[in-house]
Amino acid sequence: MLSTKFTYTGVGSRDIPHDVFVRMMMFGYMACKDGATLRSGKATGSDTAFQLGHEMYLRQYPQEDKRMEIYTVNDYPDNRTYLTSACDIEGRDTPAFQTFCIKKCKEIHPLKHKLKGKALQLHARNILQVVGQYCNEPSDMCVYFTREDQYGDLTGGTATAAKYSAEIGVPSYNILTDKGDDRVRQLWNAYTNPTTASDELRSAIKWAYQIGDADIKNRIRAGINALGLFGE
């Protein structure tokens, strides 16, 4: 489906089922193993899971390139010391943040020009997750988890990245609704199948559990139990 060294946007809601959290970790691990670069945002939940997956692999193979672009808006506290900051990119310092990202965000977001302040900055940051810090290199795919409202419209900050991906033709897949590009769905299912998880991957998940805070430990413990990842 994709050549090696592909770039993907891995984002989603903060509140996700525990089994999905672990499957996102598995996806990140396998994607990194295949040479992929992750673009994400370091929010709790989905972003953290994808990034943990990459860090799980890079912990086993530290000589390899980091292969992550983590776009942040860094004037709020972040106590997740178990996540590396080596790949963080301050979104507001990127060349086209004011001239392109802010403008595009206001076009996409339902509040349009009423969106202001930190909320606007965070949503504009999501544009970078799709096209990179220079806004000229679209991701090869976008895999995400977000809910729909009663009219079928995507909700939350993830909607900005997902809608912009659709606008520029980035193949995308919503894990929650199982809607989107068949090729991305197939890759998601292949990377996150618990019955084919390698011993290396299982070992990496144990490592992530050990370094995580109470929230991460709870998510991983419940997730691996729901998936039957380590048997009975």
Side-chain angles (χ1 to χ4, degrees):
M1 173 197 142
L2 293 166
S3 63
T4 57
K5 310 298 183 185
F6 66 91
T7 297
Y8 76 99
T9 302
V11 293
S13 304
R14 290 170 170 78
D15 180 18
I16 58 175
H18 297 316
D19 62 315
V20 173
F21 186 89
V22 172
R23 291 184 75 186
M24 286 176 169
M25 290 168 55
M26 296 169 69
F27 187 95
Y29 180 96
M30 295 300 298
C32 191
K33 181 179 181 179
D34 281 352
T37 295
L38 165 67
R39 287 176 175 159
S40 195
K42 214 171 190 176
T44 57
S46 299
D47 292 12
T48 293
F50 283 116
Q51 183 172 347
L52 266 177
H54 277 249
E55 296 198 22
M56 283 156 44
Y57 180 79
L58 294 168
R59 178 253 183 183
Q60 293 176 333
Y61 300 93
Q63 74 279 10
E64 298 202 18
D65 294 337
K66 296 303 181 189
R67 298 200 289 271
M68 290 188 287
E69 299 173 16
I70 307 300
Y71 295 99
T72 62
V73 176
N74 272 332
D75 56 1
Y76 61 93
D78 184 357
N79 298 318
R80 286 164 297 158
T81 54
Y82 50 85
L83 292 178
T84 183
S85 59
C87 301
D88 289 2
I89 301 171
E90 168 56 61
R92 293 167 298 187
D93 292 341
T94 57
F97 189 78
Q98 296 295 334
T99 58
F100 180 78
C101 297
I102 294 287
K103 178 182 177 182
K104 178 55 65 175
C105 177
K106 288 181 177 180
E107 292 176 4
I108 293 172
H109 197 278
L111 291 179
K112 304 298 182 183
H113 290 275
K114 293 181 181 179
L115 188 66
K116 300 180 184 298
K118 177 54 67 65
L120 174 59
Q121 293 175 351
L122 289 169
H123 279 274
R125 176 274 309 267
N126 295 347
I127 300 296
L128 298 168
Q129 296 169 349
V130 179
V131 288
Q133 61 181 312
Y134 299 104
C135 297
N136 62 357
E137 295 183 5
S139 297
D140 295 297
M141 58 181 280
C142 176
V143 56
Y144 64 94
F145 181 107
T146 197
R147 292 165 177 81
E148 297 178 347
D149 64 18
Q150 59 182 323
Y151 305 107
D153 293 328
L154 299 176
T155 62
T158 304
T160 302
K163 289 177 180 178
Y164 186 49
S165 294
E167 179 180 309
I168 63 175
V170 173
S172 302
Y173 172 62
N174 188 347
I175 299 161
L176 174 61
T177 62
D178 195 33
K179 295 178 182 177
D181 188 276
D182 284 339
R183 297 164 299 172
V184 184
R185 177 189 293 107
Q186 290 168 11
L187 190 65
W188 166 261
N189 288 330
Y191 277 174
T192 68
N193 185 343
T195 65
T196 58
S198 67
D199 289 340
E200 276 193 336
L201 174 52
R202 295 170 195 268
S203 175
I205 292 172
K206 290 180 180 178
W207 170 80
Y209 177 85
Q210 292 169 355
I211 67 163
D213 59 15
D215 175 62
I216 293 297
K217 283 180 165 59
N218 179 58
R219 289 176 187 262
I220 293 177
R221 184 189 306 111
I224 62 177
N225 287 339
L227 294 171
L229 196 56
F230 291 93
E232 297 296 332

